Amino acid sequence: MSEEASELASAPARLLATRTTTRARTLTEIRSLARSHTRTAIRVLVGIMRSDDATPAARVSAANAILDRGWGKVAQPVENGEDQPLELVHRVERVIVHPDDAGNADAEPEA
């Protein structure tokens, strides 16, 4: 393959890597910008929570937001539709296949 053809073939990979890097950097910048307003946001939420003029729904929503940020959200149980918690089972299985038997998966192993 010529150098020019090789360069053209790797162009999509470089473009994808650039987009991924740019997207990650953009998300990091947005996250950083949002975090820079944390004190103000908490003060606003506390103001709403304490305000007698705010609706009860707004006060509860503000209180919940403050608790969620300070203590984390409560874990929600996953149910299976029968009002019982869903039991999660994790299984990792490694199957080693001899190259000579790869084409004959149903064959019984030889003793």
Side-chain angles (χ1 to χ4, degrees):
M1 184 182 289
S2 72
E3 184 177 324
E4 184 177 321
S6 175
E7 195 172 308
L8 287 175
S10 65
R14 280 197 319 268
L15 182 58
L16 180 60
T18 301
R19 285 183 186 167
T20 303
T21 303
T22 302
R23 186 177 304 131
R25 185 176 43 220
T26 301
L27 290 174
T28 301
E29 290 169 355
I30 291 169
R31 194 173 291 127
S32 177
L33 180 61
R35 287 179 179 174
S36 72
H37 294 286
T38 299
R39 289 178 192 250
T40 304
I42 293 293
R43 286 187 188 122
V44 169
L45 289 170
V46 170
I48 293 168
M49 181 184 71
R50 291 183 173 172
S51 173
D52 291 333
D53 296 333
T55 64
R59 294 176 69 193
V60 168
S61 178
N64 280 331
I66 292 166
L67 290 172
D68 287 347
R69 275 128 188 102
W71 298 99
K73 293 187 178 193
V74 177
Q76 300 294 317
V78 179
E79 295 186 4
N80 63 5
E82 299 173 5
D83 294 330
Q84 295 178 354
L86 184 64
E87 183 179 340
L88 298 178
V89 178
H90 298 279
R91 177 179 175 180
V92 177
E93 184 174 316
R94 174 181 269 175
V95 178
I96 301 173
V97 179
H98 191 277
D100 294 337
D101 297 335
N104 191 3
D106 296 331
E108 292 292 321
E110 294 182 20

